[in-house]
Amino acid sequence: MPRKKSSVISEFFQTKLDFGLEETLIMPQSVSSHSFKPSQYQQAIFDAVCSGTRAIVISAAPGSGKTTTIKELVPYLPLDASVLMLAFNKDAAEQLKKKIGALQKERKIPVVDCKTIHSLGATTLIRYGLGSNPTDHYRKYSKLAEAYLKGVGIHDRDLTQALADFIEKVRITCPNQSEQSLWTVCHRFDFFDMLYQDNKIWKVVLEAVPLIIQEGIRLARDTKAINFTDQICLPVEMDLRPPQYDYVLVDEAQDLSPIQQTLVLRAWNGKGTFIAVGDRHQSIYGFAGASLRSIDEIIDRTQAQEMPLSICYRCPQMVIDLAADIYPGIEASETAGAGTIREILNTDVIDRAQPGDLILCRYTAPLVSMCYELLRNGKKAMVRGRDLGKPVAGVISSIRTFCKQRRVQMTIDNLAESADFYKAEQTEILSGDVTEEAEIARLHDKIDTLLCLYRAYRSECYERSIDGFKEFIRDFFKDDKKAQSNQITLSTGHRAKGLEYPRVFILQWDKLQEPRAKTNEELEQELNIRYVMVTRVLWDKGNPDSGTLFLCRSEDDE
């Protein structure tokens, strides 16, 4: 059959036609919407899918319209194809579902399932009769860890929770459970106490991890006790087959963990195209379990063709130039304004920041300090990301363990002094090994954040206790959905993915790269976080203040 310009037929169509199944096919009535004009990069992607390319990795620059690209790709797919779109979180999945729904009202397109990866895992478990409400079993592995430790004569609440958290990271990131692999997970995710308390604890951990994981699988199979992590891990661990789709499109592919990669790829039946959308230069979630080389691993596993989506429709030209100095390849839209980049002192932010602005920083402690300064100056401000409080509150448990080992009782009154001693000892233990430098930096940020909040807690609260301080920490960090336009939003660079603001301040720009970063992976992550923060700036031709980036430096650099 000749290939007509007005109707591009994919290999999926052609294969069916060759077998005499023409009568079952329903061709799309139209390919693109009236208002959408694809860029050269978008059109190349559409053509590649239609020509039957087996797997594609779309390297999407920040603000390059990847959601629009995914949506506008759908009309190019066969009407009788099964299509799965996977978003990184529930909000993104709902937005995608709405856009696909609007598209369905305009023309005939294939049926599209929009899910999160958790939802795909849950659907898989339900197919095998393992459906369960994960909130009913959120403490499943904490209970298993507690039972195991008590069985070997260890009664330690902090170690119990640490072991449960450690097992979660192992399942998400570690294909095998060799001692070397577990040791790597311990270092990567800052489980210092289990490594350095004493050899006995580490031996217990090595024995406990595989046994607890197997017991978790047994409980799921026999009693349907399933938590949120189980939804992703169990389908792979139990070798269950997820629902099958001809076309699978996964967003934010740079942030997939190894087990997420496996689950997603198992949902693809190989008949159509597997499409991963992401940007290796925005890979900054290694601390949360994402594979640091997810994009390259997907290419290796699928032999995917990598295609660029390079035009940024968000940022002004000056910001694009700065971003291109970090990673070449990003391009400004033809309609982008010039924008503004200003260098100011960190201390000038208090006067210059106004409602609707975004303040970013590499670390949490400076954000907490800046937030309190803004509040003291009568400006509404909030630190974005409720989960930021968890590691800060968690370090209190590590300090308590540290004190117990020295037969000292930790109290709210000696917490600051104990934190300083803990910080010094852990730094000494970790120093001397270049692979530990990133861990030292994260440790220092957690302790510095803790001490900043501790000073605020002591000045604001008359009745003080450790439990009261933990609650104070939880309340300080706000849920992302509570960000409002009438206040100043503060965020770490890691929490800034997906954000765009007309005016953006980056604190400590002159000290943005962590000086302790030494390995190639650590240096790459530092460049990635810089790239992500710079590209949060939104240019809007209707807003004269938009497109402004403030690079804030320390006073001692004058």
Side-chain angles (χ1 to χ4, degrees):
M1 176 182 290
R3 189 172 182 268
K4 299 180 180 179
K5 293 183 179 179
S6 61
S7 177
V8 184
I9 302 178
S10 70
E11 187 179 281
F12 180 75
F13 277 107
Q14 190 62 55
T15 302
K16 288 192 173 185
L17 288 169
D18 289 344
F19 282 91
L21 301 177
E22 305 96 334
E23 68 277 7
T24 66
L25 297 175
I26 305 174
M27 298 294 291
Q29 290 183 337
S30 62
V31 175
S32 61
S33 64
H34 297 296
S35 59
F36 176 70
K37 303 295 181 184
S39 70
Q40 58 178 333
Y41 300 114
Q42 291 168 325
Q43 191 59 58
I45 292 166
F46 300 158
D47 289 345
V49 173
C50 291
S51 66
T53 303
R54 187 171 185 272
I56 298 171
V57 165
I58 300 174
S59 293
S64 58
K66 59 180 181 174
T67 303
T68 298
T69 303
I70 292 172
K71 182 193 76 170
E72 294 295 338
L73 173 62
V74 174
Y76 287 82
L77 306 181
L79 288 177
D80 57 350
S82 54
V83 183
L84 173 65
M85 289 188 174
L86 293 168
F88 202 68
N89 57 48
K90 189 174 180 180
D91 288 341
E94 287 300 319
Q95 291 177 13
L96 198 55
K97 190 178 296 184
K98 288 180 181 178
K99 291 181 178 181
I100 296 298
L103 197 62
Q104 286 173 328
K105 294 178 180 178
E106 295 178 9
R107 77 202 90 159
K108 289 184 177 180
I109 60 173
V111 175
V112 179
D113 285 345
C114 298
K115 298 177 180 290
T116 63
I117 299 176
H118 268 91
S119 178
L120 174 64
T123 302
T124 303
L125 293 174
I126 290 171
R127 293 181 78 209
Y128 288 84
L130 298 175
S132 177
N133 185 350
T135 58
D136 293 339
H137 307 285
Y138 74 98
R139 294 194 66 250
K140 173 182 172 181
Y141 289 91
S142 297
K143 292 178 179 178
L144 290 174
E146 181 181 21
Y148 184 89
L149 291 175
K150 284 182 177 179
V152 295
I154 298 175
H155 302 267
D156 187 320
R157 184 179 62 181
D158 296 332
L159 180 60
T160 295
Q161 190 55 53
L163 178 57
D165 293 341
F166 179 63
I167 287 170
E168 177 180 321
K169 289 295 191 291
V170 168
R171 297 175 73 204
I172 291 172
T173 65
C174 191
N176 64 73
Q177 290 145 29
S178 66
E179 181 172 359
Q180 179 61 40
S181 296
L182 296 183
W183 183 89
T184 300
V185 173
C186 235
H187 278 256
R188 179 179 172 185
F189 297 106
D190 303 341
F191 289 98
F192 302 121
D193 294 337
M194 290 194 296
L195 275 176
Y196 301 118
Q197 275 191 44
D198 55 56
N199 288 333
K200 176 186 174 184
I201 295 297
W202 181 236
K203 289 178 181 178
V204 169
V205 169
L206 290 177
E207 295 170 356
V209 169
L211 294 174
I212 291 175
I213 290 175
Q214 287 303 312
E215 181 62 12
I217 294 173
R218 186 195 68 77
L219 284 175
R221 184 176 57 245
D222 296 347
T223 70
K224 299 184 181 180
I226 292 168
N227 71 358
F228 285 105
T229 304
D230 282 337
Q231 289 183 331
I232 291 177
C233 298
L234 284 178
V236 177
E237 293 168 342
M238 299 176 72
D239 199 23
L240 307 179
R241 191 178 190 224
Q244 298 293 286
Y245 295 87
D246 302 323
Y247 293 85
V248 175
L249 300 89
V250 57
D251 195 7
E252 302 291 358
Q254 77 280 347
D255 295 326
L256 297 184
S257 68
I259 204 154
Q260 287 175 321
Q261 285 183 30
T262 299
L263 176 61
V264 168
L265 284 168
R266 285 186 180 182
W268 175 44
N269 62 20
K271 295 179 181 179
T273 304
F274 179 86
I275 302 168
V277 186
D279 182 1
R280 55 172 58 83
H281 301 322
Q282 295 188 74
S283 172
I284 58 174
Y285 287 156
F287 70 95
S291 172
L292 300 178
R293 311 233 63 87
S294 180
I295 293 291
D296 296 312
E297 288 164 1
I298 291 170
I299 291 174
D300 289 342
R301 295 177 74 170
T302 64
Q303 298 302 300
Q305 176 183 346
E306 189 168 3
M307 305 188 72
L309 195 61
S310 303
I311 300 174
C312 174
Y313 299 95
R314 174 192 298 150
C315 304
Q317 183 66 59
M318 291 185 69
V319 171
I320 293 296
D321 291 342
L322 180 59
D325 286 341
I326 303 170
Y327 284 123
I330 187 171
E331 304 172 24
S333 166
E334 293 179 353
T335 60
T340 304
I341 297 180
R342 296 176 181 170
E343 292 192 13
I344 64 173
L345 297 177
N346 288 320
T347 51
D348 293 337
V349 176
I350 303 298
D351 292 328
R352 288 178 175 264
Q354 59 193 34
D357 288 349
L358 175 65
I359 299 176
L360 299 174
C361 189
R362 172 69 175 79
Y363 290 111
T364 308
L367 290 174
V368 173
S369 178
M370 177 63 69
C371 186
Y372 273 109
E373 283 297 317
L374 290 167
L375 293 171
R376 279 194 285 268
N377 280 267
K379 296 188 175 183
K380 293 184 67 175
M382 62 157 278
V383 178
R384 186 175 183 270
R386 179 169 289 278
D387 57 348
L388 287 176
K390 184 176 180 180
V392 178
V395 80
I396 296 176
S397 297
S398 298
I399 296 169
R400 181 190 286 114
T401 300
F402 170 82
C403 290
K404 280 182 181 179
Q405 293 170 347
R406 285 148 188 80
R407 301 182 183 279
V408 175
Q409 183 179 1
M410 185 190 76
T411 67
I412 191 65
D413 294 320
N414 68 10
L415 178 59
E417 183 181 9
S418 300
D420 284 333
F421 280 123
Y422 173 77
K423 177 182 177 182
E425 179 174 288
Q426 292 299 313
T427 301
E428 184 178 352
I429 290 172
L430 294 169
S431 295
D433 186 342
V434 69
T435 64
E436 307 291 1
E437 297 295 340
E439 282 80 359
I440 294 174
R442 289 194 291 269
L443 170 70
H444 286 192
D445 185 45
K446 284 190 286 189
I447 297 294
D448 293 345
T449 303
L450 178 78
L451 293 176
C452 182
L453 290 166
Y454 177 75
R455 289 190 291 270
Y457 176 67
R458 288 184 67 87
S459 66
E460 295 179 18
C461 302
Y462 294 103
E463 295 184 8
R464 298 186 285 268
S465 67
I466 294 295
D467 288 341
F469 181 41
K470 286 184 175 181
E471 185 176 352
F472 178 84
I473 292 172
R474 286 192 294 269
D475 290 342
F476 178 81
F477 297 99
K478 300 295 189 296
D479 189 277
D480 295 350
K481 294 180 181 179
K482 293 184 178 179
Q484 300 173 4
S485 59
N486 66 341
Q487 64 186 6
I488 300 164
T489 300
L490 297 92
S491 173
T492 63
H494 290 95
R495 297 292 311 184
K497 286 276 292 293
L499 299 182
E500 51 184 32
Y501 279 69
R503 289 169 28 113
V504 176
F505 296 78
I506 302 180
L507 300 180
Q508 300 184 346
W509 174 258
D510 51 318
K511 300 177 181 178
L512 196 58
Q513 180 164 312
E514 169 52 50
R516 294 180 180 274
K518 297 292 191 299
T519 67
N520 289 336
E521 280 188 349
E522 290 169 355
L523 292 170
E524 183 178 345
Q525 287 282 293
E526 294 301 314
L527 287 176
N528 289 356
I529 193 68
R530 181 185 291 251
Y531 185 70
V532 167
M533 287 198 282
V534 163
T535 54
R536 299 309 96 195
V537 184
L538 173 66
W539 182 77
D540 177 3
K541 64 180 180 180
N543 180 357
D545 289 334
S546 71
T548 302
L549 174 62
F550 295 90
L551 304 178
C552 312
R553 55 186 174 82
S554 307
E555 290 182 287
D556 55 13
D557 285 345
E558 284 193 301

